[in-house]
Amino acid sequence: MTLLCRGEVQVRDVAEALLLHDDAWGVRALDDGPMMQVCRDATHPVITVLGVRRVDTAEEVERLLPDAPAMSVPLWWVDTVTPHSADGEAGVSAALEASLDLDAVCVVHGD
């Protein structure tokens, strides 16, 4: 999934917004912090936030994600991944909810 945020965000901001979906979830840093994983428990990740990049041109968004709605720039592009399981479905739901808190558009890739 990709979150296109209208305001500046950091990986930690996104992880905290995802945690609002379920107060029993936790978060852990991967690779000493540049990526964060939201987990249902110690062995079950539901979504991983890979990073945040600022995008300054609408053409760049259109080139990389042609199905995204038109949005004003700059925006903050957040890449995430979920497992192919029920935990991943929970991650997708959390991302859709978090997009409201982050003033973002959530684009779900694939099925």
Side-chain angles (χ1 to χ4, degrees):
M1 282 174 298
T2 302
L3 292 168
L4 301 173
C5 302
R6 292 176 180 89
E8 183 174 359
V9 294
Q10 303 296 320
V11 170
R12 182 121 195 106
D13 302 323
V14 177
E16 288 173 358
L18 292 164
L19 286 173
L20 296 175
H21 183 73
D22 189 322
D23 59 8
W25 288 357
V27 65
R28 63 182 172 203
L30 300 176
D31 293 337
D32 295 323
M35 294 184 286
M36 300 200 100
Q37 195 166 60
V38 175
C39 302
R40 156 168 81 83
D41 57 37
T43 59
H44 294 93
V46 294
I47 188 167
T48 302
V49 182
L50 301 174
V52 176
R53 290 182 300 283
R54 179 182 162 137
V55 178
D56 291 312
T57 65
E59 293 80 18
E60 186 69 356
V61 175
E62 187 176 335
R63 181 181 74 81
L64 295 171
L65 198 56
D67 293 335
M71 295 177 67
S72 60
V73 289
L75 58 82
W76 283 260
W77 180 294
V78 182
D79 285 316
T80 69
V81 293
T82 58
H84 291 282
S85 65
D87 289 327
E89 291 298 320
V92 171
S93 294
L96 291 168
E97 286 180 18
S99 67
L100 298 173
D101 292 326
L102 296 168
D103 190 20
V105 171
C106 181
V107 180
V108 180
H109 309 285
D111 9 27

